[in-house]
RNA sequence: CGGGGCGUGGCUCAGUCUGGUUUAGAGCGCUUGGUUCGGGACCAAGAGGUCGGAGGUUCGAAUCCUCUCGCCCCGACCA
């Protein structure tokens, strides 16, 4: 057997039969690095995770850190190409910024302080504090403040496809949530918010193009919470998939769509004439369920109170109707603070509350900030804690029993599937989504702090108005598999398939087959088709199972069965076991047509 | 950071409870030879493991004890 690797002789890596390996656009399966696996690792749960491992697309190196094998790298490269085309179409200019950055840069923006251990920090040999970038706002501002100084240069947009590192508390789901990942991130600079808003819409359209072109069948953009990072408007692009980490609510007609964090509904609360308030004994009944069981009432007859504390010890009591859940994102927004956590028992007692029997009734509003959800404020005759062990009150009525002037009333609850949509009134549908991209109108938050100023027509310095736009590349690959697979493997769209065509030679050992298959392989290559050629001569079942796991959209099978009739078997990946016979002399032209007719 | 689970060849796992026929096994994959050949074939012969690591108990530890590291799942967190 010839040795494939020859040092310094000028010979390239050779195929098993001694022939020279051609360019990477075609490949003999016998030489492809990255085995297909019959069994998935035990820890792989989602379809994308299973097929990425079984198909030989990627391998784990550590928790949430993966190597891409040749097949995976090819898919990612195609996704990146599509992203580049669409970013270039909105006048983006590609750059490359460092992953390793001095921490002092992050102190300028203030994020060195506000971001926790998710930002990986370390020191270089001189003891200088450094960080691994989890995003590049600081770096792009560093560039822009010296390179973009005049209104004549605005608007402009810079983008890159670069590694990010986030020391995630819990990576999960294969490539869905990882610590090291490739992200396309883009940053635009504008003279005015109006200019940003108009450009933002163009990027939104570019994103829709990207996700359609990579083959996501069900990808929706939803308004999202801008978080404590601020900004006016933000959208998340969600690939709908059961394994998604985010919960979405959409109306049946799709006109309303929102992340659970901000979704609203027009649920109407039951209002009855107020009854006199009375104290009742409720031994050992703390949870809403226990109270309802003990008193024989419904969950919604109670009020649910949860105490939080901010980072500096300010206490917050949030109250919703007993059958509903508090939404912490909404609560944070309502109180204007992001640093809240459940209060401990001492903190609750210090504010006059009794753990397990907390309610706003009788508390000193100077010691604790009270936030009522509309559901609690608009319901009547609720059962609430008495701030006394083993006692509750019956018939609490907001307004009569609590002064609205001393508290905040806001939407701080999480909506549930089936509640009426705020736009259409129809029952909301709950879906799961993978966040494959997001876009933000940042405004001047970073440019002010980092001194990204330009001179306007009057020679006056002004902070640039910024937008930022991200896409998770590896996550997008995983999301495409989630939406395009069967029980045997991925069913790649032509646009990002690792190879366009999978050529199988059965009984490759037979000279006639070998000759015909080699010629067909060469002809397909010459026609510019990306071919993966299974030249291993394995049994049919074995070869087909591998082909399914790799998932190329087109498949040709050349074998002693059809060769004498001058035919080649053809099937599309999603045809199941069906196939048809094509004339060998015209098959290359037909394949070329199919490759070109598919959306790129 | 809480709760749960798991670490035995590249992958899936048995053996652990009840320490000793185990010189540590099976299937898949890998190598060699042969027979096969249309949906993961068969026979034969091989290569590959300090049973995650350290310490301890014991005549004897994959198995019991202590500590530690790693990995997975649920939750918290997530510009």
């Amino acid at each position: 057997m010839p040795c494939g690797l020859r040092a310094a002789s000028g010979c390239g890596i050779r195929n098993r039969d001694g022939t020279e390996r051609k360019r990477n656009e075609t490949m003999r399966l016998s030489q492809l690095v990255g085995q297909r696996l019959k069994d998935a690792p035990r820890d792989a749960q989602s379809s994308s995770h299973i097929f990425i491992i079984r198909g030989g697309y990627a391998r784990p190196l550590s928790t949430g850190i993966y190597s891409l094998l040749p097949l995976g790298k090819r898919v990612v490269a195609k996704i990146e190409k599509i992203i580049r085309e669409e970013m270039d179409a909105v006048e983006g200019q590609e750059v490359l910024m460092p992953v390793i950055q001095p921490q002092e840069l992050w102190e300028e923006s203030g994020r060195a302080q506000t971001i926790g251990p998710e930002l990986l920090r370390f020191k270089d040999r001189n003891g200088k504090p450094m960080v691994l970038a989890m995003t590049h706002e600081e770096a792009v501002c560093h560039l822009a403040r010296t390179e973009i100084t005049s209104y004549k240069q605005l608007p402009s947009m810079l983008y890159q496809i670069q590694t990010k590192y986030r020391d995630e508390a819990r990576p999960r789901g294969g490539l869905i949530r990882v610590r090291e990942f490739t992200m396309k991130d883009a940053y635009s600079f504008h003279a005015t918010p109006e200019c940003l808003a108009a450009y933002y819409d163009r990027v939104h359209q570019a994103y829709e193009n990207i996700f359609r072109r990579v083959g996501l069948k069900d990808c929706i953009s939803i308004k999202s919470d801008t978080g404590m990072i601020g900004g006016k408007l933000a959208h998340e692009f969600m690939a709908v998939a059961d394994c998604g980490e985010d919960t979405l609510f959409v109306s049946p007609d799709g006109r309303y769509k929102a992340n659970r964090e901000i979704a609203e509904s027009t649920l109407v609360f039951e209002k009855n004439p107020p009854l006199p308030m009375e104290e009742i004994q409720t031994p050992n009944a703390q949870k809403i369920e226990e109270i309802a069981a003990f008193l024989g009432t419904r969950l919604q007859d109670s009020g649910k109170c949860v105490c939080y504390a901010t980072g500096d010890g300010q206490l917050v009591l949030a109250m919703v109707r007993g059958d509903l859940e508090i939404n912490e994102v909404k609560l944070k927004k309502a109180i204007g603070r992001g640093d809240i956590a459940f209060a401990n028992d001492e903190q609750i007692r210090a504010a006059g509350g009794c753990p397990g029997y907390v309610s706003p009734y009788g508390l000193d509003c100077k010691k604790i900030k009270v936030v009522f959800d509309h559901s609690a404020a608009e319901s009547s005759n609720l059962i609430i804690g008495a701030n006394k062990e083993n006692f509750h009150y019956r018939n609490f009525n907001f307004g009569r029993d609590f002064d609205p002037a001393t508290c905040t009333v806001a939407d701080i609850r999480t909506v549930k599937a089936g509640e009426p949509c705020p736009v259409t009134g129809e029952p909301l549908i709950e879906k799961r989504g993978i966040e494959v991209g997001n876009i933000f109108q940042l405004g001047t938050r970073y440019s002010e702090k980092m001194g990204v100023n330009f001179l306007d027509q009057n020679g006056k310095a002004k902070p640039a108005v910024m937008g930022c736009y991200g896409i998770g590349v590896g996550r997008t690959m995983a999301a495409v598999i989630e939406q395009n697979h069967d029980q045997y493997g991925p069913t790649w769209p032509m646009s990002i398939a690792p190879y366009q065509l999978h050529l199988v030679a059965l009984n490759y050992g037979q000279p006639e087959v070998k000759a015909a298959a080699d010629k067909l392989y060469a002809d397909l290559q010459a026609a510019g088709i990306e071919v993966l050629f299974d030249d291993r001569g394995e049994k049919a079942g074995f070869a087909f199972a591998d082909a399914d796991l790799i998932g190329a959209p087109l498949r040709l099978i050349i074998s002693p069965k059809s060769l004498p009739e001058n035919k080649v078997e053809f099937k599309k990946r999603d045809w199941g076991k069906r196939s048809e016979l094509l004339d060998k002399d015209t098959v290359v032209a037909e394949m070329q047509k199919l490759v070109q007719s598919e959306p790129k």
Side-chain angles (χ1 to χ4, degrees), chain A residues 37-305:
Chain A
L37 304 178
K38 199 163 181 175
D39 299 306
R42 181 182 30 186
D43 47 50
Q45 311 276 323
S46 64
S47 307
S48 63
H49 191 180
I50 289 169
F51 291 135
I52 280 169
I53 301 301
R54 286 194 57 204
Y57 283 89
R59 294 284 179 255
L61 177 65
S62 180
T63 304
I65 300 180
Y66 283 82
S67 296
L68 281 181
L69 286 161
L71 286 181
K73 178 59 188 166
R74 286 182 62 86
V75 172
V76 160
K78 290 188 173 187
I79 294 172
E80 290 175 352
K81 179 167 183 283
I82 290 170
I83 291 174
R84 282 195 174 91
E85 286 170 8
E86 294 294 337
M87 288 296 100
D88 291 345
V90 290
E91 292 89 41
Q93 300 182 51
E94 188 168 3
V95 294
L96 191 62
M97 295 178 277
V99 179
I100 293 178
Q101 306 175 355
Q103 189 176 304
E104 60 189 16
L105 191 65
W106 289 65
E107 279 157 9
E108 273 190 58
S109 70
R111 292 208 295 180
Q113 286 74 43
T114 56
I115 297 177
E118 204 181 346
L119 179 64
L120 189 65
R121 298 152 218 252
F122 62 99
K123 291 190 165 99
D124 71 8
R125 64 193 298 163
N126 297 317
K128 182 176 175 177
M130 308 292 281
V131 304
L132 283 187
M134 38 195 283
T135 176
H136 282 75
E137 278 82 8
E138 284 79 4
V140 82
C141 285
H142 174 264
L143 272 186
R145 67 188 171 195
T146 53
E147 307 302 330
I148 301 177
T149 52
S150 158
Y151 73 95
K152 295 173 192 166
Q153 295 169 290
L154 298 180
S156 59
M157 189 267 259
L158 300 175
Y159 76 95
Q160 65 172 352
I161 296 176
Q162 172 67 303
T163 300
K164 302 276 181 284
Y165 189 88
R166 293 179 195 181
D167 215 358
E168 291 282 354
R170 188 153 102 75
R172 68 188 89 179
L175 291 189
I176 303 282
R177 187 171 203 81
V178 289
R179 293 195 290 176
E180 183 184 302
F181 59 101
T182 301
M183 185 182 201
K184 185 286 298 177
D185 48 326
Y187 308 88
S188 67
F189 301 87
H190 309 265
T192 65
E194 293 73 33
C195 179
L196 167 63
Y199 187 73
Y200 181 88
D201 289 343
R202 291 184 65 203
V203 177
H204 190 285
Q205 180 61 52
Y207 269 44
E208 289 185 349
N209 297 345
I210 290 165
F211 295 125
R212 184 189 65 248
R213 289 178 64 188
V214 299
L216 287 178
K217 301 172 194 163
D218 193 359
C219 184
I220 56 182
S221 91
I222 59 176
K223 277 192 182 179
S224 65
D225 178 55
T226 51
M228 282 298 125
I229 208 69
K232 277 205 188 72
L233 187 61
H235 284 84
E236 289 169 343
F237 286 79
M238 292 286 182
V240 175
D242 290 339
C243 71
E245 296 183 277
D246 294 275
T247 304
L248 327 173
F249 290 95
V250 299
S251 62
D253 66 1
R255 271 198 292 156
Y256 180 80
K257 44 201 181 184
N259 196 310
R260 179 174 60 181
E261 292 166 356
I262 64 163
E264 299 171 1
S265 84
T266 52
L267 190 63
V268 177
F269 309 108
E270 202 174 302
K271 193 85 179 163
N272 293 308
L275 300 170
M277 206 161 116
E278 53 176 331
E279 191 177 86
I280 47 174
Q281 257 197 318
T282 49
N284 297 318
Q286 298 191 354
K287 295 184 161 186
I288 301 292
E289 291 78 12
E290 293 166 352
I291 296 160
F294 179 74
L295 297 173
T297 55
R298 301 168 301 173
L299 294 178
Q300 68 197 67
D301 297 325
S302 296
K304 182 187 289 180
C305 297

